[in-house]
Amino acid sequence: LETAISLKMLSTISNALSNTFTARFASTVAITFKSNNWGPTEFNVPEGEVLAKYVLDQSMPNLKMSCGGDAICGRCRLNLEEELFNKLKESQPITEDEDDTLDSDERTPTTRLGCQLKVTKEFEGATITIPSE
């Protein structure tokens, strides 16, 4: 029993140290998020983070990821600035599944699913709008 508790404690300590290390030393990208319900707020988002997951982890309103990031539900729609949208055409192109999910009246010319986007340096300084529900 003591060994099991000790191993669990070591695992917990290891995870905490790993998260602290990642938070302190991971490269971040400054991204501003806004919505019709609240004004622009800048966040330093770790590179490699799935954009929708980050937004959900910050408890920002109006965004859901009901399908778990499979580009099916369309509830993590984000409106990107045109410049960022164009940059991502090559590095993170819209997949057929994402395009099918976005095929609706709610789509703007720069709408993407946040579950399909990983944060890269291309996002630096961008403003992303979370549409109202």
Side-chain angles (χ1 to χ4, degrees), residues 9-89:
M9 286 176 61
L10 282 174
S11 176
T12 302
I13 292 168
S14 175
N15 287 338
L17 289 173
S18 176
N19 290 341
T20 300
F21 180 82
T22 300
R24 287 189 71 198
F25 300 105
S27 182
T28 61
V29 178
I31 302 173
T32 299
F33 293 92
K34 67 179 184 172
S35 170
N36 292 338
N37 302 333
W38 43 276
T41 306
E42 185 176 288
F43 291 87
N44 291 312
V45 184
E47 273 190 87
E49 181 79 57
V50 174
L51 196 56
K53 182 183 178 318
Y54 182 82
V55 171
L56 290 169
D57 288 348
Q58 303 309 308
S59 301
M60 292 184 220
N62 302 338
L63 190 115
K64 307 273 187 284
M65 199 164 65
S66 304
C67 67
D70 292 328
I72 297 169
C73 70
R75 305 214 44 218
C76 63
R77 292 170 189 267
L78 299 170
N79 295 328
L80 310 181
E81 294 174 311
E82 188 173 353
E83 180 181 351
L84 175 59
F85 183 85
N86 289 333
K87 285 180 188 177
L88 296 176
K89 283 182 180 178

Side-chain angles (χ1 to χ4, degrees), residues 118-133:
K118 286 196 176 183
V119 175
T120 63
K121 286 292 183 193
E122 294 167 306
F123 285 80
E124 183 69 45
T127 298
I128 296 174
T129 303
I130 302 171
S132 298
E133 289 187 288

Side-chain angles (χ1 to χ4, degrees), residues 77 98-105 107:
R77 292 170 189 267
E98 182 180 5
D99 194 48
D100 289 345
T101 301
L102 288 171
D103 194 18
S104 75
D105 295 338
R107 185 177 191 172

